[in-house]
Amino acid sequence: MHTKLAEGVYWVGVADWGIKHFHGFELSTHRGTSYNAYLIVDKKIALIDTVWTPFQDQLLENIKELIDPAQIDYVIANHAEVDHSGSLPAIMRAAPQATVVVSKRGAESIPGHYHQPWKFQTVQTGDKISLGNSDAIFVEAPMLHWPDSMFTYLMGKGILFPNDAFGQHYAACARFNDEVNQAELYEEAQKYYANILTPFSPLVTKKIEEVVGLNLPVSMIAPSHGIIWRQDPLQIVKQYQVWAEQKPEPTAVILYDTMWEATRRMAEAIGQGLAAEGIAHKIFHMASSDRNDVIAEVFKAKAVILGSPALNNGLLPTLMPVLEDLKGLKFKNKIGAAFGSYGWSGECVKLLEEHLAACKIPVAVPGVKAKWQPTPDDLANCENLGKAMAAAIKQG
Ligand code: FEO
Protein backbone atom coordinates (compact mmCIF):
# COMPACT_ATOMS: atom_id res chain seq x y z
CA MET A 1 0.00 0.00 0.00
CA HIS A 2 1.37 3.44 -0.87
CA THR A 3 1.40 6.60 1.27
CA LYS A 4 1.25 10.15 -0.08
CA LEU A 5 4.00 12.51 1.10
CA ALA A 6 3.01 15.48 -1.08
CA GLU A 7 1.21 16.06 -4.37
CA GLY A 8 2.80 13.59 -6.80
CA VAL A 9 5.24 12.13 -4.24
CA TYR A 10 4.53 8.71 -2.73
CA TRP A 11 6.12 6.17 -0.43
CA VAL A 12 5.91 2.81 -2.22
CA GLY A 13 8.19 0.83 0.09
CA VAL A 14 7.55 -2.09 2.40
CA ALA A 15 7.68 -2.67 6.15
CA ASP A 16 9.62 -5.80 7.09
CA TRP A 17 8.29 -6.62 10.54
CA GLY A 18 9.91 -10.05 10.65
CA ILE A 19 13.58 -9.26 10.12
CA LYS A 20 15.39 -9.49 13.43
CA HIS A 21 18.93 -9.60 12.04
CA PHE A 22 20.28 -7.44 9.24
CA HIS A 23 23.42 -7.81 7.09
CA GLY A 24 23.18 -11.56 7.64
CA PHE A 25 23.54 -11.69 11.42
CA GLU A 26 25.74 -8.61 11.80
CA LEU A 27 23.11 -6.17 13.09
CA SER A 28 20.13 -6.87 15.35
CA THR A 29 16.85 -5.25 14.32
CA HIS A 30 14.47 -6.01 17.19
CA ARG A 31 11.77 -3.76 15.75
CA GLY A 32 12.17 -4.94 12.16
CA THR A 33 12.84 -2.37 9.46
CA SER A 34 11.37 -0.86 6.34
CA TYR A 35 12.78 -0.47 2.85
CA ASN A 36 11.60 2.92 1.66
CA ALA A 37 11.19 3.49 -2.05
CA TYR A 38 9.58 6.69 -3.33
CA LEU A 39 7.69 7.38 -6.53
CA ILE A 40 7.54 10.85 -8.07
CA VAL A 41 4.74 11.25 -10.55
CA ASP A 42 5.30 14.38 -12.62
CA LYS A 43 5.54 14.83 -16.41
CA LYS A 44 8.34 12.32 -16.01
CA ILE A 45 8.12 9.50 -13.49
CA ALA A 46 11.00 8.71 -11.17
CA LEU A 47 11.44 5.93 -8.65
CA ILE A 48 13.90 6.70 -5.87
CA ASP A 49 15.51 3.46 -4.70
CA THR A 50 13.83 0.05 -4.62
CA VAL A 51 13.42 -2.55 -1.86
CA TRP A 52 15.15 -5.76 -0.82
CA THR A 53 14.66 -8.52 -3.40
CA PRO A 54 12.20 -10.74 -1.43
CA PHE A 55 9.75 -7.80 -1.43
CA GLN A 56 9.97 -6.91 -5.14
CA ASP A 57 6.40 -8.04 -5.90
CA GLN A 58 5.03 -5.84 -3.14
CA LEU A 59 6.98 -2.87 -4.50
CA LEU A 60 5.50 -3.46 -7.96
CA GLU A 61 2.00 -3.78 -6.50
CA ASN A 62 2.41 -0.48 -4.64
CA ILE A 63 3.60 1.25 -7.82
CA LYS A 64 0.70 -0.24 -9.80
CA GLU A 65 -1.74 1.47 -7.41
CA LEU A 66 -0.47 4.75 -8.89
CA ILE A 67 0.89 4.13 -12.41
CA ASP A 68 1.82 1.41 -14.83
CA PRO A 69 5.44 0.54 -13.90
CA ALA A 70 6.27 0.57 -17.63
CA GLN A 71 5.87 4.38 -17.44
CA ILE A 72 8.87 4.83 -15.14
CA ASP A 73 11.44 7.12 -16.81
CA TYR A 74 14.13 7.22 -14.13
CA VAL A 75 15.20 4.88 -11.37
CA ILE A 76 17.39 6.91 -9.04
CA ALA A 77 19.68 4.45 -7.27
CA ASN A 78 21.09 6.41 -4.35
CA HIS A 79 23.07 3.40 -3.08
CA ALA A 80 23.82 -0.13 -4.33
CA GLU A 81 23.40 -2.15 -1.12
CA VAL A 82 20.81 -4.81 -1.93
CA ASP A 83 18.28 -3.67 0.65
CA HIS A 84 17.75 -0.72 -1.72
CA SER A 85 18.81 -1.99 -5.12
CA GLY A 86 17.66 -5.61 -4.82
CA SER A 87 14.47 -5.05 -6.81
CA LEU A 88 16.19 -3.13 -9.62
CA PRO A 89 16.15 -6.17 -11.94
CA ALA A 90 12.39 -6.59 -11.44
CA ILE A 91 11.78 -2.87 -12.00
CA MET A 92 13.97 -2.81 -15.08
CA ARG A 93 12.14 -5.83 -16.50
CA ALA A 94 8.91 -3.86 -16.05
CA ALA A 95 10.41 -0.60 -17.41
CA PRO A 96 13.30 -1.60 -19.70
CA GLN A 97 13.47 1.87 -21.26
CA ALA A 98 14.08 3.56 -17.89
CA THR A 99 17.38 5.27 -17.12
CA VAL A 100 19.19 4.24 -13.95
CA VAL A 101 20.60 7.36 -12.30
CA VAL A 102 23.72 6.76 -10.23
CA SER A 103 26.61 8.60 -8.61
CA LYS A 104 30.10 8.19 -10.07
CA ARG A 105 30.84 5.39 -7.63
CA GLY A 106 27.35 3.98 -8.18
CA ALA A 107 28.34 3.60 -11.84
CA GLU A 108 30.73 0.94 -10.54
CA SER A 109 28.72 -0.62 -7.72
CA ILE A 110 25.32 -1.02 -9.40
CA PRO A 111 26.67 -2.75 -12.54
CA GLY A 112 29.01 -4.67 -10.22
CA HIS A 113 25.97 -6.15 -8.51
CA TYR A 114 23.72 -6.82 -11.51
CA HIS A 115 25.85 -7.03 -14.69
CA GLN A 116 22.95 -5.87 -16.85
CA PRO A 117 23.04 -3.69 -19.99
CA TRP A 118 20.76 -1.02 -18.51
CA LYS A 119 20.88 2.60 -19.60
CA PHE A 120 22.79 4.58 -16.96
CA GLN A 121 23.14 8.28 -16.28
CA THR A 122 25.94 9.30 -13.94
CA VAL A 123 25.39 12.43 -11.87
CA GLN A 124 27.49 14.45 -9.47
CA THR A 125 26.79 17.04 -6.80
CA GLY A 126 24.67 19.87 -8.18
CA ASP A 127 23.41 17.99 -11.24
CA LYS A 128 19.68 18.17 -11.87
CA ILE A 129 17.14 16.13 -13.74
CA SER A 130 13.96 17.91 -14.73
CA LEU A 131 10.86 15.87 -14.04
CA GLY A 132 8.42 18.53 -15.29
CA ASN A 133 7.15 20.78 -12.54
CA SER A 134 9.96 19.77 -10.21
CA ASP A 135 13.66 18.97 -10.51
CA ALA A 136 15.60 16.26 -8.75
CA ILE A 137 18.99 17.57 -7.63
CA PHE A 138 21.80 15.31 -6.42
CA VAL A 139 24.38 15.54 -3.64
CA GLU A 140 27.11 12.90 -3.51
CA ALA A 141 27.61 11.59 0.02
CA PRO A 142 30.57 9.21 -0.24
CA MET A 143 31.07 6.94 2.81
CA LEU A 144 27.67 7.79 4.27
CA HIS A 145 27.95 4.93 4.36
CA TRP A 146 29.29 3.44 1.08
CA PRO A 147 31.45 5.17 -1.52
CA ASP A 148 28.44 5.28 -3.87
CA SER A 149 25.99 6.88 -1.40
CA MET A 150 24.07 9.84 -2.76
CA PHE A 151 21.26 12.13 -1.56
CA THR A 152 18.46 13.25 -3.85
CA TYR A 153 16.59 16.49 -3.19
CA LEU A 154 13.26 17.23 -4.83
CA MET A 155 13.08 20.94 -5.59
CA GLY A 156 9.70 22.57 -5.29
CA LYS A 157 8.58 19.98 -2.74
CA GLY A 158 11.56 20.50 -0.42
CA ILE A 159 11.95 16.77 0.23
CA LEU A 160 15.39 15.33 0.90
CA PHE A 161 15.90 11.63 0.17
CA PRO A 162 19.18 10.86 1.95
CA ASN A 163 19.03 7.07 1.60
CA ASP A 164 20.57 5.40 4.68
CA ALA A 165 21.40 8.66 6.48
CA PHE A 166 18.85 9.71 9.14
CA GLY A 167 17.22 6.26 8.96
CA GLN A 168 16.23 3.76 11.62
CA HIS A 169 15.57 0.04 11.60
CA TYR A 170 12.02 0.50 12.76
CA ALA A 171 8.96 -1.14 11.19
CA ALA A 172 5.78 0.77 11.96
CA CYS A 173 2.22 0.94 10.73
CA ALA A 174 2.72 4.72 10.48
CA ARG A 175 5.02 6.48 8.04
CA PHE A 176 5.79 9.81 9.74
CA ASN A 177 7.74 10.82 12.84
CA ASP A 178 4.80 12.59 14.47
CA GLU A 179 2.80 9.34 14.40
CA VAL A 180 5.12 7.04 16.35
CA ASN A 181 6.47 6.60 19.87
CA GLN A 182 9.30 9.14 20.21
CA ALA A 183 11.36 7.10 22.69
CA GLU A 184 11.30 4.06 20.37
CA LEU A 185 12.11 6.21 17.37
CA TYR A 186 15.13 7.87 18.97
CA GLU A 187 16.37 4.61 20.50
CA GLU A 188 16.42 3.07 17.02
CA ALA A 189 17.87 6.18 15.35
CA GLN A 190 20.71 6.28 17.87
CA LYS A 191 21.42 2.54 17.67
CA TYR A 192 21.57 2.91 13.88
CA TYR A 193 23.98 5.84 14.14
CA ALA A 194 26.17 4.14 16.75
CA ASN A 195 26.47 0.85 14.88
CA ILE A 196 26.65 2.11 11.30
CA LEU A 197 27.72 5.73 11.12
CA THR A 198 30.04 6.37 14.07
CA PRO A 199 33.29 5.91 12.10
CA PHE A 200 32.06 8.39 9.51
CA SER A 201 31.19 11.10 12.05
CA PRO A 202 33.58 13.74 10.59
CA LEU A 203 31.99 13.14 7.18
CA VAL A 204 28.51 13.41 8.69
CA THR A 205 29.32 16.87 10.06
CA LYS A 206 30.90 18.00 6.79
CA LYS A 207 28.02 16.74 4.68
CA ILE A 208 25.41 18.34 6.93
CA GLU A 209 27.25 21.68 6.71
CA GLU A 210 27.36 21.31 2.91
CA VAL A 211 23.65 20.53 2.60
CA VAL A 212 22.61 23.24 5.09
CA GLY A 213 24.92 25.66 3.21
CA LEU A 214 22.83 25.17 0.07
CA ASN A 215 20.00 26.99 1.89
CA LEU A 216 17.42 24.66 0.45
CA PRO A 217 14.08 24.57 2.24
CA VAL A 218 13.48 21.15 3.78
CA SER A 219 9.87 20.18 4.32
CA MET A 220 10.62 16.47 4.86
CA ILE A 221 13.55 14.13 5.23
CA ALA A 222 12.64 10.78 3.73
CA PRO A 223 15.31 8.17 4.48
CA SER A 224 15.47 4.66 3.06
CA HIS A 225 14.72 2.96 6.41
CA GLY A 226 12.12 3.67 9.05
CA ILE A 227 9.88 6.67 9.41
CA ILE A 228 9.91 9.92 7.46
CA TRP A 229 10.82 13.11 9.34
CA ARG A 230 7.89 15.42 8.62
CA GLN A 231 7.31 17.30 11.87
CA ASP A 232 10.33 19.57 12.49
CA PRO A 233 12.34 17.54 9.97
CA LEU A 234 15.65 19.20 10.82
CA GLN A 235 15.50 17.79 14.36
CA ILE A 236 17.28 14.65 13.17
CA VAL A 237 19.92 16.72 11.37
CA LYS A 238 20.61 18.63 14.59
CA GLN A 239 20.68 15.35 16.51
CA TYR A 240 23.21 13.89 14.02
CA GLN A 241 25.40 16.96 14.56
CA VAL A 242 25.32 16.24 18.30
CA TRP A 243 26.02 12.51 17.83
CA ALA A 244 28.83 13.26 15.37
CA GLU A 245 30.62 15.23 18.10
CA GLN A 246 30.80 12.01 20.17
CA LYS A 247 30.62 13.81 23.49
CA PRO A 248 29.86 10.99 25.91
CA GLU A 249 27.79 11.08 29.06
CA PRO A 250 29.65 10.71 32.40
CA THR A 251 28.74 7.03 32.65
CA ALA A 252 30.46 3.65 32.28
CA VAL A 253 29.80 0.31 30.66
CA ILE A 254 31.38 -2.91 31.86
CA LEU A 255 31.60 -5.65 29.24
CA TYR A 256 32.77 -9.06 30.34
CA ASP A 257 32.45 -12.77 29.88
CA THR A 258 32.99 -15.38 32.53
CA MET A 259 33.45 -19.15 32.85
CA TRP A 260 32.97 -19.89 36.55
CA GLU A 261 31.75 -16.51 37.86
CA ALA A 262 35.13 -15.13 39.01
CA THR A 263 35.20 -12.42 36.32
CA ARG A 264 31.50 -11.74 36.89
CA ARG A 265 32.12 -11.09 40.57
CA MET A 266 34.95 -8.74 39.65
CA ALA A 267 32.66 -6.88 37.20
CA GLU A 268 30.09 -6.35 39.91
CA ALA A 269 32.71 -5.15 42.41
CA ILE A 270 33.90 -2.58 39.84
CA GLY A 271 30.27 -1.52 39.43
CA GLN A 272 30.01 -1.03 43.20
CA GLY A 273 33.06 1.25 43.08
CA LEU A 274 31.52 3.33 40.31
CA ALA A 275 28.19 3.52 42.12
CA ALA A 276 29.88 4.54 45.38
CA GLU A 277 31.21 7.59 43.53
CA GLY A 278 27.86 8.37 41.95
CA ILE A 279 28.67 7.19 38.42
CA ALA A 280 25.85 5.40 36.60
CA HIS A 281 26.91 2.23 34.81
CA LYS A 282 25.60 -0.82 33.00
CA ILE A 283 27.09 -4.30 33.11
CA PHE A 284 26.84 -6.62 30.12
CA HIS A 285 27.61 -10.33 30.11
CA MET A 286 28.62 -10.59 26.48
CA ALA A 287 27.79 -14.28 26.11
CA SER A 288 24.13 -13.41 26.57
CA SER A 289 23.89 -9.75 25.49
CA ASP A 290 22.94 -8.32 22.12
CA ARG A 291 26.16 -6.91 20.68
CA ASN A 292 24.50 -4.04 18.82
CA ASP A 293 22.48 -2.92 21.85
CA VAL A 294 25.72 -2.94 23.82
CA ILE A 295 27.44 -0.84 21.16
CA ALA A 296 24.63 1.73 21.45
CA GLU A 297 25.37 1.89 25.20
CA VAL A 298 29.12 2.17 24.59
CA PHE A 299 28.42 5.04 22.18
CA LYS A 300 26.75 6.99 25.00
CA ALA A 301 29.21 6.25 27.81
CA LYS A 302 32.58 7.82 28.69
CA ALA A 303 34.23 4.67 30.11
CA VAL A 304 34.54 1.17 28.66
CA ILE A 305 35.74 -1.43 31.15
CA LEU A 306 36.57 -4.83 29.66
CA GLY A 307 36.82 -8.13 31.55
CA SER A 308 37.75 -11.66 30.54
CA PRO A 309 39.23 -14.74 32.13
CA ALA A 310 42.30 -16.19 30.45
CA LEU A 311 41.68 -19.12 28.12
CA ASN A 312 44.38 -20.87 26.11
CA ASN A 313 46.73 -17.92 26.74
CA GLY A 314 44.11 -15.60 25.31
CA LEU A 315 40.66 -14.11 25.89
CA LEU A 316 37.28 -15.79 25.87
CA PRO A 317 36.25 -16.04 22.19
CA THR A 318 32.73 -14.83 22.99
CA LEU A 319 34.19 -11.34 23.55
CA MET A 320 35.74 -11.12 20.10
CA PRO A 321 32.75 -9.76 18.14
CA VAL A 322 32.31 -6.74 20.40
CA LEU A 323 36.07 -6.19 20.58
CA GLU A 324 36.16 -6.11 16.76
CA ASP A 325 33.30 -3.61 16.75
CA LEU A 326 35.12 -1.38 19.23
CA LYS A 327 38.11 -1.37 16.91
CA GLY A 328 36.17 -0.84 13.70
CA LEU A 329 33.77 1.82 14.96
CA LYS A 330 36.65 4.06 16.12
CA PHE A 331 34.85 5.62 19.08
CA LYS A 332 36.27 8.94 20.22
CA ASN A 333 36.58 10.58 23.65
CA LYS A 334 36.46 7.34 25.67
CA ILE A 335 38.62 6.02 28.46
CA GLY A 336 39.13 2.36 29.33
CA ALA A 337 40.32 -0.21 31.83
CA ALA A 338 40.63 -4.00 32.00
CA PHE A 339 40.20 -6.80 34.51
CA GLY A 340 39.95 -10.56 34.62
CA SER A 341 40.63 -13.81 36.42
CA TYR A 342 43.17 -16.47 35.54
CA GLY A 343 44.60 -19.79 36.72
CA TRP A 344 48.18 -19.94 35.47
CA SER A 345 49.08 -17.86 32.39
CA GLY A 346 47.36 -14.61 33.40
CA GLU A 347 47.65 -12.45 30.28
CA CYS A 348 43.97 -11.42 30.08
CA VAL A 349 44.44 -7.86 31.40
CA LYS A 350 47.48 -7.24 29.21
CA LEU A 351 45.61 -8.48 26.13
CA LEU A 352 42.55 -6.38 26.89
CA GLU A 353 44.71 -3.29 27.44
CA GLU A 354 46.44 -3.97 24.11
CA HIS A 355 43.03 -4.18 22.55
CA LEU A 356 41.99 -0.86 24.09
CA ALA A 357 45.17 0.67 22.69
CA ALA A 358 44.31 -0.71 19.24
CA CYS A 359 40.89 0.95 19.59
CA LYS A 360 42.65 4.22 20.56
CA ILE A 361 40.86 4.14 23.91
CA PRO A 362 43.44 5.24 26.51
CA VAL A 363 43.77 3.07 29.60
CA ALA A 364 42.88 5.48 32.41
CA VAL A 365 43.27 3.14 35.40
CA PRO A 366 45.62 0.16 36.00
CA GLY A 367 43.94 -3.20 35.47
CA VAL A 368 43.11 -5.78 38.13
CA LYS A 369 43.82 -9.51 37.89
CA ALA A 370 42.64 -12.23 40.28
CA LYS A 371 44.05 -15.76 40.45
CA TRP A 372 41.36 -18.47 40.55
CA GLN A 373 38.41 -17.02 42.45
CA PRO A 374 38.90 -13.41 43.68
CA THR A 375 39.79 -12.95 47.34
CA PRO A 376 38.22 -10.15 49.40
CA ASP A 377 41.36 -8.13 48.65
CA ASP A 378 40.96 -8.75 44.92
CA LEU A 379 37.35 -7.58 45.10
CA ALA A 380 38.44 -4.52 47.05
CA ASN A 381 40.96 -3.81 44.28
CA CYS A 382 38.13 -4.08 41.76
CA GLU A 383 36.00 -1.69 43.76
CA ASN A 384 38.95 0.70 43.86
CA LEU A 385 39.31 0.35 40.11
CA GLY A 386 35.67 1.44 39.84
CA LYS A 387 36.31 4.40 42.15
CA ALA A 388 39.42 5.46 40.25
CA MET A 389 37.54 5.19 36.98
CA ALA A 390 34.75 7.32 38.45
CA ALA A 391 37.30 9.99 39.29
CA ALA A 392 38.69 9.84 35.75
CA ILE A 393 35.18 10.14 34.30
CA LYS A 394 34.50 13.20 36.46
CA GLN A 395 37.70 14.83 35.16
CA GLY A 396 36.10 14.68 31.69
FE1 FEO B 1 23.49 0.64 3.14
FE2 FEO B 1 20.22 0.36 3.94
O1 FEO B 1 21.78 -0.04 3.03
Side-chain angles (χ1 to χ4, degrees):
M1 203 168 70
H2 69 273
T3 303
K4 185 174 173 180
L5 274 67
E7 205 52 52
V9 185
Y10 305 91
W11 176 87
V12 287
V14 298
D16 185 353
W17 293 87
I19 190 164
K20 298 301 175 193
H21 293 97
F22 204 76
H23 290 154
F25 264 73
E26 188 270 324
L27 181 64
S28 62
T29 48
H30 307 309
R31 294 191 173 97
T33 193
S34 70
Y35 314 106
N36 297 340
Y38 300 94
L39 191 71
I40 301 165
V41 182
D42 200 331
K43 291 189 180 111
K44 297 280 186 184
I45 293 179
L47 177 67
I48 300 182
D49 293 316
T50 71
V51 302
W52 188 30
T53 326
F55 297 92
Q56 61 187 19
D57 290 345
Q58 200 175 328
L59 171 66
L60 281 163
E61 285 309 310
N62 293 348
I63 293 171
K64 282 177 193 165
E65 292 172 1
L66 296 157
I67 55 148
D68 176 351
Q71 296 174 275
I72 294 172
D73 297 289
Y74 296 105
V75 183
I76 298 168
N78 278 328
H79 172 37
E81 200 164 5
V82 292
D83 49 329
H84 310 298
S85 73
S87 300
L88 253 178
I91 292 291
M92 295 306 288
R93 281 194 294 275
Q97 83 299 335
T99 299
V100 182
V101 181
V102 289
S103 68
K104 236 183 303 176
R105 300 302 292 273
E108 299 165 23
S109 59
I110 294 278
H113 277 74
Y114 299 104
H115 310 288
Q116 292 294 319
W118 299 326
K119 187 166 53 166
F120 286 95
Q121 180 173 344
T122 303
V123 292
Q124 55 189 10
T125 296
D127 285 353
K128 284 180 199 172
I129 288 179
S130 175
L131 301 174
N133 293 317
S134 57
D135 291 346
I137 183 165
F138 305 99
V139 179
E140 291 160 285
M143 298 319 295
L144 294 179
H145 68 122
W146 273 19
D148 59 9
S149 298
M150 177 169 83
F151 298 174
T152 298
Y153 175 79
L154 189 61
M155 297 188 79
K157 306 291 182 192
I159 304 176
L160 180 68
F161 301 92
N163 194 263
D164 280 326
F166 311 120
Q168 337 86 47
H169 287 304
Y170 185 28
C173 56
R175 296 274 73 81
F176 298 102
N177 64 320
D178 47 296
E179 300 173 319
V180 298
N181 179 294
Q182 298 301 293
E184 285 184 2
L185 170 60
Y186 269 93
E187 186 181 314
E188 293 303 336
Q190 189 173 37
K191 178 176 173 180
Y192 186 98
Y193 188 96
N195 280 277
I196 300 169
L197 290 167
T198 302
F200 310 119
S201 289
L203 298 174
V204 169
T205 312
K206 221 170 126 210
K207 186 53 57 182
I208 287 174
E209 283 167 4
E210 184 188 323
V211 173
V212 170
L214 296 173
N215 280 323
L216 299 169
V218 176
S219 65
M220 278 185 216
I221 295 178
S224 57
H225 295 291
I227 61 82
I228 297 159
W229 303 90
R230 167 175 77 178
Q231 186 182 68
D232 183 15
L234 292 176
Q235 65 179 280
I236 190 61
V237 176
K238 291 175 196 146
Q239 189 59 66
Y240 263 44
Q241 285 172 316
V242 171
W243 288 335
E245 286 179 14
Q246 296 198 58
K247 286 191 179 154
E249 297 165 11
T251 59
V253 288
I254 302 172
L255 319 182
Y256 77 97
D257 199 1
T258 191
M259 292 166 77
W260 295 111
E261 310 298 331
T263 305
R264 177 186 65 75
R265 293 169 62 211
M266 296 174 78
E268 289 176 3
I270 292 168
Q272 283 168 16
L274 288 160
E277 297 299 324
I279 292 295
H281 66 279
K282 291 184 179 172
I283 302 179
F284 295 99
H285 178 205
M286 291 312 304
S288 57
S289 299
D290 182 282
R291 197 184 92 249
N292 305 111
D293 291 346
V294 169
I295 285 297
E297 295 295 338
V298 170
F299 178 77
K300 289 185 263 185
K302 175 74 180 171
V304 187
I305 306 173
L306 303 175
S308 174
L311 176 72
N312 299 330
N313 305 110
L315 302 169
L316 274 194
T318 36
L319 280 170
M320 290 306 152
V322 79
L323 296 185
E324 280 300 308
D325 267 346
L326 286 178
K327 199 156 62 177
L329 290 170
K330 299 184 176 71
F331 288 114
K332 301 261 190 297
N333 306 322
K334 309 272 183 223
I335 54 175
F339 65 99
S341 63
Y342 69 103
W344 49 98
S345 59
E347 51 282 90
C348 46
V349 166
K350 178 174 157 279
L351 290 173
L352 287 170
E353 287 179 346
E354 284 171 4
H355 198 89
L356 286 166
C359 301
K360 301 200 167 41
I361 297 176
V363 175
V365 174
V368 174
K369 283 196 292 190
K371 190 161 185 175
W372 307 120
Q373 286 290 332
T375 62
D377 280 351
D378 292 327
L379 292 175
N381 288 338
C382 289
E383 195 167 332
N384 287 335
L385 186 160
K387 288 178 179 169
M389 190 54 111
I393 291 168
K394 287 175 188 171
Q395 277 172 11

